[in-house]
Amino acid sequence: MIDVQTKMAERAVELLCVPEDKPCYVLDIGCGTGLSGDYLSDEGHYWVGIDISPAMLDEALDRDTQGDVILGDMGQGIPFKPGTFDACISISAVQWLCNANKKSDVPAKRLYCFFSSLYSVLVRGGRAVLQLYPENSEQLELITTQATRAGFTGGVVVDYPNSAKAKKFYLCLFSGPSTSIPEGLSEDTEEEKPAKSTFTAERVPYRIARRGVVRKSREWVLEKKARRRRQGKEVRPDTQYTGRKRKPRF
């Protein structure tokens, strides 16, 4: 599950087409325990997550995620100032707005409230990539209609459309002039394109490829502490022992 979540977050960031030479401020809708946020951090971006589940957010805090997380219902709007974020991603969350959990819930109204507030908090020209699992074509049409009504342009990218298990829907939205929508992945394109990742027998989970910083190293710890200071959090002062690897006990 963690591997699938990370791959979908990687694909969402790829579809965002954000600049590779500078970090962006990204909103993660339905952040859960912060797995997507971990990938954003590894790519050098700053992020804020919002989720309706207190238990999920508590686990995210226990995991010491590098982003900030807040408790909130996306169906009631995104509580940030206009133009706050450069981009937005969401993994397996938006389709839940199509369900009415109580009599007062109207899916169309909740979707419009979500998309209109999302349009506001993005900078002009910003993008949002929302991975979702629509139950049927009517549900997907409801979601895209409300997104268009809120002012977004864009469309749906479908990866592996002929596969029952690997098929994924990504709603790519632009808060500005419409641009070309990326093509979805398929079995044919995967054979034609060289793989971006190489598989080895060794597991290297903490390599941050683009920045060249190894997680838990002294440089990584100092960078993380500096980021938390900029966020106004209380951080212990740096010493000669900061990031020093402890020897195993006897």
Side-chain angles (χ1 to χ4, degrees):
M1 181 63 70
I2 294 177
D3 184 54
V4 172
Q5 180 90 1
T6 302
K7 287 181 178 179
M8 289 191 293
E10 181 180 2
R11 176 61 172 157
V13 173
E14 179 184 347
L15 292 172
L16 279 178
C17 299
V18 292
E20 296 185 2
D21 57 344
K22 67 175 182 178
C24 295
Y25 198 37
V26 183
L27 175 63
D28 184 4
I29 303 292
C31 63
T33 59
L35 296 177
S36 302
D38 287 345
Y39 179 79
L40 289 170
S41 297
D42 288 350
E43 291 296 300
H45 302 297
Y46 304 103
W47 62 278
V48 174
I50 180 172
D51 200 280
I52 197 172
S53 170
M56 289 284 193
L57 296 181
D58 287 341
E59 186 173 345
L61 294 175
D62 291 340
R63 294 178 60 252
D64 196 24
T65 56
Q66 298 181 28
D68 296 317
V69 294
I70 64 171
L71 179 67
D73 180 3
M74 59 181 171
Q76 296 180 357
I78 310 300
F80 291 96
K81 294 181 179 180
T84 300
F85 298 98
D86 301 310
C88 169
I89 67 169
S90 177
I91 307 299
S92 310
V94 176
Q95 72 273 359
W96 296 111
L97 291 177
C98 297
N99 300 333
N101 297 321
K102 49 188 178 181
K103 292 184 178 180
S104 59
D105 288 346
V106 180
K109 290 184 178 180
R110 284 171 58 79
L111 281 165
Y112 178 72
C113 181
F114 164 66
F115 283 119
S116 58
S117 61
L118 177 60
Y119 187 91
S120 174
V121 301
L122 288 175
V123 298
R124 293 289 72 85
R127 294 189 176 196
V129 175
L130 316 175
Q131 186 276 328
L132 65 160
Y133 291 106
E135 291 184 357
N136 46 52
S137 58
E138 290 78 11
Q139 193 176 89
L140 182 61
E141 183 179 359
L142 173 63
I143 294 172
T144 55
T145 298
Q146 297 306 317
T148 303
R149 183 185 169 202
F152 282 109
T153 57
V156 178
V157 174
V158 183
D159 286 351
Y160 308 108
N162 299 322
S163 173
K165 292 184 177 180
K167 187 176 182 179
K168 298 290 186 298
F169 291 85
Y170 294 88
L171 180 59
C172 299
L173 302 175
F174 314 128
S175 62
S178 180
T179 59
S180 60
I181 301 175
E183 295 184 1
L185 301 178
S186 65
E187 289 79 0
D188 295 335
T189 56
E190 282 294 302
E191 292 176 0
E192 294 174 1
K193 293 183 180 179
K196 294 183 178 180
S197 302
T198 56
F199 296 90
T200 63
E202 298 179 357
R203 184 181 179 185
V204 189
Y206 299 140
R207 179 68 59 184
I208 304 176
R210 291 187 181 174
R211 290 185 296 167
V213 179
V214 178
R215 191 183 293 235
K216 303 300 182 181
S217 65
R218 177 177 173 83
E219 184 180 357
W220 182 88
V221 172
L222 291 174
E223 181 180 341
K224 180 177 179 180
K225 293 176 71 174
R227 186 186 308 115
R228 287 180 173 264
R229 291 191 184 100
R230 291 194 297 269
Q231 294 173 348
K233 297 180 180 180
E234 185 177 352
V235 181
R236 291 183 179 181
D238 299 334
T239 68
Q240 60 180 332
Y241 303 106
T242 300
R244 193 173 184 179
K245 193 172 183 179
R246 296 176 178 270
K247 294 182 179 180
R249 294 184 177 181
F250 289 103

